[in-house]
Amino acid sequence: MSGDKVKIVISRKLPKPIEQRMGELFDAELNTNDEPFSENRLADALGRADVLVSTVTDNLSAELIAKAGKQLKMIAQFGAGVDNIDVKAAAEKGIVVTNTPGVLTEDTADMTMALILALPRRMVQGVDALRAGEFKGWSPTYMLGHRIFGKRIGIIGMGRIGQAVARRARAFGLEVHYHNRNRVSPAIEAQFATTYWESLDQMISRMDIISVNCPATPATYHLLHERRLKLLQPHAYIVNTSRGEVIDEEALINALEAGQIAGAGLDVFENEPEINPRLLALKNVVLLPHMGSATVEARTEMGEKVIINIKNFLDGHMVPDRVIPELI
């Protein structure tokens, strides 16, 4: 197939330069109003497109993929995570799935570090106090928080983003610990002077800060469940810039309300875009609208990766970011 005859359906609005380039290369159908596709609209796209450019808001279940037309050869995900796609079902139907790893690493790690700083230093509470006119001048006991220098951070998931968080944490004087499905190389451990914990339970019970940076998979669903959350120390903070379903959100809210842990910084939620009103009512949280990779640079580079993946596939070359079901 030549590129100009390939039907590309793009499920969300992308950066303008990326949409322009896709329009030049392919028969590209844009989502100009940026409304997430309904299940019916996804089914329609799967029935017409040669390539679907999907995002995290598209629930591409096995049942939906089974209805895809024979012409659909590729799902090119605009994003690193593919937990919204039944990759195994796609492979069984001969559909190639790709993603865009790497380009959002530094931005997500920056946001993780921002939350790690904001929580113990009560930054959001300080902004709210100023806006409410509560600030009456400096006081020795006003807005006291906690320093992070010298504290222990436990990173769950030591992939690209986890390592980028470790690099930042070391620069701020944190003692870095981690838990991962597989232990990283001695060279990486030495680079970040980090300590590996085979037992997640033992690690989280000894940390001051927990940073969740693992992917969402069946194995990590509710990885931090009620029992594990009770292992945390009362002064501990949790930061999650991964996926909401890695933490049992109800159990987390219960722990926050009861003062069992000090606070949480969340950029992701279990039932996005719905936010539990109990979370919104808490004072010991910092909540962000899934903006970890929301930089012009990251989103543009993600789009460029999508185009490269599609072009390589159409030209019969090796696809650089192909997702292999067995490796998830």
Side-chain angles (χ1 to χ4, degrees):
M1 285 186 292
S2 59
D4 59 351
K5 294 183 179 179
V6 174
K7 182 66 176 179
I8 308 288
V9 175
I10 306 164
S11 72
R12 296 301 297 268
K13 187 173 180 62
L14 303 183
K16 190 173 182 180
I18 299 302
E19 292 187 336
Q20 289 177 336
R21 185 60 178 151
M22 286 185 172
E24 294 167 357
L25 292 171
F26 317 114
D27 175 13
E29 182 178 312
L30 307 179
N31 181 354
T32 55
N33 64 7
D34 201 32
E35 289 291 329
F37 276 14
S38 65
E39 184 172 336
N40 287 340
R41 196 171 176 188
L42 274 175
D44 174 69
L46 292 171
R48 296 185 296 109
D50 299 305
V51 178
L52 174 67
V53 177
S54 60
T55 73
V56 67
T57 60
D58 302 314
N59 181 22
L60 295 168
S61 63
E63 293 75 18
L64 204 56
I65 290 172
K67 300 175 183 177
K70 292 182 179 180
Q71 85 295 330
L72 184 73
K73 300 300 180 185
M74 185 180 194
I75 298 173
Q77 174 92 333
F78 181 88
V82 292
D83 48 294
N84 61 302
I85 305 171
D86 194 314
V87 178
K88 183 179 179 182
E92 290 173 351
K93 202 171 172 65
I95 300 168
V96 171
V97 176
T98 61
N99 65 344
T100 59
V103 295
L104 48 73
T105 298
E106 300 302 329
D107 300 298
T108 304
D110 282 347
M111 190 61 78
T112 303
M113 201 66 218
L115 287 169
I116 290 170
L117 289 167
L119 266 172
R121 294 306 305 271
R122 304 177 64 185
M123 290 183 185
V124 172
Q125 292 177 46
V127 171
D128 290 344
L130 276 175
R131 292 187 182 278
E134 296 173 3
F135 179 55
K136 305 304 179 184
W138 181 87
S139 164
T141 58
Y142 183 61
M143 280 292 171
L144 294 182
H146 293 277
R147 74 166 58 128
I148 67 167
F149 181 85
K151 298 297 195 299
R152 288 181 163 194
I153 182 172
I155 298 172
I156 301 175
M158 200 63 163
R160 291 185 182 94
I161 295 174
Q163 291 175 35
V165 171
R167 186 183 312 117
R168 287 157 175 76
R170 286 286 297 165
F172 278 87
L174 285 156
E175 185 180 304
V176 180
H177 300 252
Y178 79 97
H179 169 83
N180 201 54
R181 179 173 56 179
N182 299 305
R183 188 169 184 172
V184 300
S185 70
I188 292 174
E189 290 188 351
Q191 180 182 356
F192 305 120
T194 185
T195 301
Y196 170 67
W197 293 77
E198 184 176 359
S199 168
L200 177 58
D201 287 1
Q202 290 186 20
M203 183 185 81
I204 63 176
S205 67
R206 292 166 171 82
M207 298 297 114
D208 303 299
I209 302 165
I210 298 294
S211 179
V212 180
N213 301 108
C214 60
T217 68
T220 61
Y221 177 77
H222 283 188
L223 184 67
L224 292 179
H225 45 63
E226 182 179 13
R227 180 188 64 79
R228 282 209 171 107
L229 290 171
K230 288 181 177 179
L231 296 176
L232 270 69
Q233 301 181 75
H235 67 267
Y237 299 94
I238 297 179
V239 169
N240 186 9
T241 56
S242 173
R243 286 289 188 267
E245 55 265 35
V246 177
I247 302 178
D248 182 337
E249 196 168 277
E250 283 293 322
L252 174 62
I253 294 170
N254 291 338
L256 289 165
E257 288 178 339
Q260 293 174 1
I261 57 176
L266 307 175
D267 186 45
V268 289
F269 306 90
E270 190 165 356
N271 299 300
E272 289 184 30
E274 299 297 323
I275 309 299
N276 193 311
R278 291 169 63 201
L279 268 178
L280 296 172
L282 290 168
K283 299 296 185 183
N284 54 344
V285 297
V286 178
L287 308 177
L288 299 176
H290 203 150
M291 53 191 287
S293 65
T295 66
V296 172
E297 295 86 351
R299 298 291 166 83
T300 300
E301 289 173 14
M302 288 163 69
E304 290 169 349
K305 267 188 170 282
V306 169
I307 292 172
I308 290 169
N309 284 326
I310 295 173
K311 281 291 292 176
N312 273 270
F313 176 73
L314 296 179
D315 294 342
H317 301 314
M318 184 178 71
V319 181
D321 300 308
R322 184 168 184 171
V323 179
I324 308 299
E326 292 77 17
L327 298 181
I328 297 178

